[in-house]
Every structure is written in structure tokens, then in C-alpha cells.
Amino acid sequence: AALLPRPARGLTDRLYCGRRVCYEVLGVSRQASKAEIARAYRQLARQYHPDRYRGEPAGGEGSGAQAAHEKFLLIAAAYETLKDEETRKDYDYMLDHPEEYYRHYYHYYRRRLAPKVDVTIVILVTVCAISVFQFFSWWSSYNEAINYLASVPKYRIQATEIARQQGLLNKTKEKGKNRRSKEEIREEEEEIIKDIIKNKIDIKGGYQKPKIYDILLFQILLAPFYWCKYIVWYCWWIYCFTIKGQEYGVEEKLYIIRRYMKMSQSQFDSLEDHQKETFLERQLWIRENYEVYKREQEEELKKKMAMDPRWKRYRRWMKNEGPGRLTFIDD
């Protein structure tokens, strides 16, 4: 019954000016300009505004003021309908086509409930905010990695030796008027060591040095370029190795191995060079060889877990206690 067509109504209580025609409420014609509509609204608003209305009660105490208040609300609704070109167009269409009942409801409430701010602006501001947070978060992780490497004796000794060879540490010990405190000298030496570590060590993975084109905003802007680049590369791969049957190069072999291992580019780059050489020596770009290597790694992991005392305690706990039991044992 709800889906059956309802009888057509020209004017509805819950739409626009209700049973009244908005043009008649303001006392203007349908051909009136925006200036004429605004002039009529100002005149009626001054007359019926609750703070300025001085009429006499028509039937009982306060009934005149109440009627004026309702009249003012109707005038405001009429002006809100006719002052906007799009809303006025929808309203004129409703007057000319009263039988399209559901269409009028849809357009009216779509404009009433639509956000006042453009969705594009909201999305753009959100993406920019995420990008700024992402960039500074990466910088924080990168600085944490540098501070950690500066505290590791292996890297700190090497950086200190490079600084001495370049004569950077000798500059920190001035005499006379330029003499500084030990704290200032220590802080400057620490900054020199960190700068050398930044320049000499290539940190990869989640702690690598952030790049501006890696943030979300640039990734979205460069997405078409990356897609075109991938399509061109994929066509080249099909042509060279599928159609022409060329042999894989070193980069192509490492790419196939990385795909078999389901690792990202940054994860694969963080591996040591001797590990990659082992992959190439064992010809892991061949599927059968990789399956054998995978089984070997799984067996080796099982042996390590069997010999690890922590895993032994965990298995003992799972066997005796279980995850769903209460226990007072600290271990």
C-alpha cells in the first residue's frame, strides 16, 4: 500500500510554505526579481517581527502576537525558498507539476539535509590533515631510529672516527673568548655524530627518511601517473618474457622472488645483500625451487621453536592450564 501512487497534491503542509503559495505570502509575482523579493521580505519582516510587532490582540490575551509570530515564520520560509535560484526552480516545478508528489519530497529534503559545506572541500581538508600527520609521524620515527643508532657502540664508534678524520670534532674545542662549556661541546658532538649517521647509513623500511611524495596527498595526485606507469611496465613484461621468451635479468628475478615471498618493496630492500645473493644462487624465481626453500624455512622455524625455552613454557602452559583458566602462577 505504501508503494501505491498517492493522489496528487499541489501544496503540502510539510513542504516549503505549506498550503500557501510563497509568492502570495510575499505579495510578489512569479516573474519577480531577486531584488523585488528581498524588498518585499524586508518590508513584511519589519511589520511582523516579534520584537517590533505592536498590533492589538485579536482574540484573547497574546493571540495577536502569536499570529504575528506564525506570520513571520511563514514569511521567512517563503523568502528562504525564493531567494535561492535552485530552490526557486524546484518550487516553480512543483507548482507546474503537482502530480509528481514523491519527486518534490525528494528534492525538498535533499536540499534541507544536504551538508552546508562542499563535500569536496571536506575531503581535501581531511586528506591534507592526514598527510601532515603522516609526514610528521614519519619524521618522528626517523629521528627515533637515528637516536637509537647513535647509541649503538658499533655505529657510534664508526661515526666518531669519520668525524675525527674530517676534522669536525676538533672544531668543537675552542679556547679563549670562544670557549664553551662541556655541555655545549657534548651537544654539538652529538649532533655531528647524528649527521654522519644520517649521511652514511641508508635506513629502510618503516624508519626510513620520509619523502614528500610518499604522503597520502601526493600519492592521490600521482595515482594516474603510477597507473599508466604500471600498465606500460606490465605490457613490456608480457612482450619481453611471455611473447619473445627472453631470460630474466637480476632485477626481474628478485622481483619474482619478492612476489613469491609476499613482501613489500621496502621489506625486501631491508634484507641483507648476502640474503639476496642466496636467493639468486638457489634460483628461487623458479616456483619449484621456492616451494622447497619455503618448506626448509618452515622446518627450521619449527626446530627453533622446539628448542626455545620460552616456547616450551608456553606449550606447557597451554597443555596444563589453557587460555581460559584462572591461575596464580606468575610464570
Side-chain angles (χ1 to χ4, degrees):
L3 296 177
L4 292 177
R6 301 184 63 174
R9 298 178 182 176
L11 299 173
T12 308
D13 292 332
R14 289 171 290 179
L15 299 183
Y16 303 108
C17 298
R19 295 289 180 177
R20 299 286 301 278
V21 178
C22 294
Y23 293 101
E24 296 178 357
V25 172
L26 295 179
V28 296
S29 64
R30 290 187 60 175
Q31 291 74 32
S33 63
K34 294 181 66 174
E36 293 174 347
I37 293 173
R39 191 182 309 113
Y41 167 72
R42 286 194 295 269
Q43 292 176 356
L44 293 172
R46 284 195 297 267
Q47 181 180 353
Y48 290 98
H49 195 280
D51 295 336
R52 304 187 63 178
Y53 181 72
R54 296 294 182 268
E56 294 296 333
E61 185 177 355
S63 60
Q66 181 66 25
H69 178 70
E70 295 177 357
K71 179 69 174 178
F72 178 77
L73 294 179
L74 184 61
I75 293 169
Y79 179 66
E80 290 294 328
T81 301
L82 300 180
K83 73 175 183 178
D84 183 69
E85 292 293 338
E86 296 296 328
T87 308
R88 184 179 180 181
K89 187 184 299 183
D90 291 340
Y91 183 71
D92 291 341
Y93 187 86
M94 186 187 76
L95 295 178
D96 297 333
H97 303 83
E99 70 280 356
E100 299 182 15
Y101 180 80
Y102 296 107
R103 183 182 187 277
H104 305 324
Y105 253 97
Y106 168 73
H107 282 281
Y108 176 76
Y109 283 105
R110 187 192 66 174
R111 294 191 182 278
R112 287 288 301 273
L113 301 177
K116 302 302 181 182
V117 183
D118 190 2
V119 179
T120 306
I121 298 177
V122 176
I123 295 175
L124 181 61
V125 172
T126 304
V127 170
C128 292
I130 294 174
S131 301
V132 171
F133 174 78
Q134 191 179 35
F135 185 74
F136 284 103
S137 176
W138 283 351
W139 263 112
S140 177
S141 300
Y142 176 71
N143 290 329
E144 288 180 4
I146 295 299
N147 293 333
Y148 170 75
L149 293 175
S151 63
V152 176
K154 173 183 175 182
Y155 300 107
R156 188 176 185 85
I157 293 173
Q158 293 179 2
T160 304
E161 186 64 28
I162 293 174
R164 286 200 181 96
Q165 292 176 0
Q166 296 178 357
L168 298 176
L169 295 181
N170 297 331
K171 295 180 180 180
T172 61
K173 300 179 180 180
E174 293 99 352
K175 297 181 179 180
K177 296 182 179 180
N178 296 327
R179 186 176 181 181
R180 290 168 296 171
S181 63
K182 294 182 179 180
E183 289 294 331
E184 293 177 346
I185 295 175
R186 189 180 300 108
E187 290 177 1
E188 185 173 350
E189 290 179 352
E190 191 71 20
E191 291 298 326
I192 292 173
I193 292 174
K194 290 180 180 179
D195 290 338
I196 292 175
I197 292 176
K198 290 179 182 179
N199 296 327
K200 298 297 181 180
I201 297 181
D202 185 15
I203 303 175
K204 297 180 180 180
Y207 293 92
Q208 63 183 355
K209 188 176 182 179
K211 299 176 182 178
I212 193 67
Y213 54 82
D214 287 337
I215 63 177
L216 179 61
L217 178 61
F218 282 88
Q219 289 292 310
I220 294 175
L221 295 177
L222 297 175
F225 169 74
Y226 289 142
W227 274 107
C228 294
K229 184 178 179 181
Y230 175 77
I231 292 172
V232 171
W233 172 85
Y234 187 76
C235 294
W236 169 82
W237 183 281
I238 295 296
Y239 174 74
C240 292
F241 304 113
T242 303
I243 298 176
K244 297 184 66 175
Q246 296 180 1
E247 294 185 0
Y248 295 126
V250 176
E251 295 296 329
E252 289 76 20
K253 293 176 181 178
L254 292 176
Y255 169 76
I256 296 174
I257 294 171
R258 181 175 67 82
R259 291 292 301 271
Y260 285 161
M261 293 183 173
K262 298 180 181 180
M263 300 174 65
S264 64
Q265 186 65 50
S266 59
Q267 290 175 331
F268 194 78
D269 291 341
S270 62
L271 298 177
E272 299 291 339
D273 293 336
H274 67 86
Q275 291 179 293
K276 298 178 182 179
E277 294 176 359
T278 304
F279 297 159
L280 295 174
E281 291 175 359
R282 299 196 57 173
Q283 299 182 355
L284 297 187
W285 67 87
I286 301 175
R287 188 72 185 187
E288 292 77 10
N289 297 342
Y290 174 74
E291 293 296 336
V292 174
Y293 173 80
K294 183 179 179 181
R295 287 194 296 268
E296 292 177 357
Q297 293 297 313
E298 291 176 353
E299 292 295 330
E300 185 177 354
L301 180 60
K302 290 180 181 179
K303 292 180 181 179
K304 288 183 179 179
M305 292 174 60
M307 300 301 296
D308 192 348
R310 292 177 298 176
W311 279 101
K312 288 181 179 180
R313 290 197 300 269
Y314 175 74
R315 289 194 299 270
R316 192 183 309 116
W317 174 76
M318 288 292 292
K319 180 179 179 181
N320 299 330
E321 302 295 337
R325 302 180 183 179
L326 294 175
T327 178
F328 295 97
I329 302 175
D330 294 334
D331 190 5

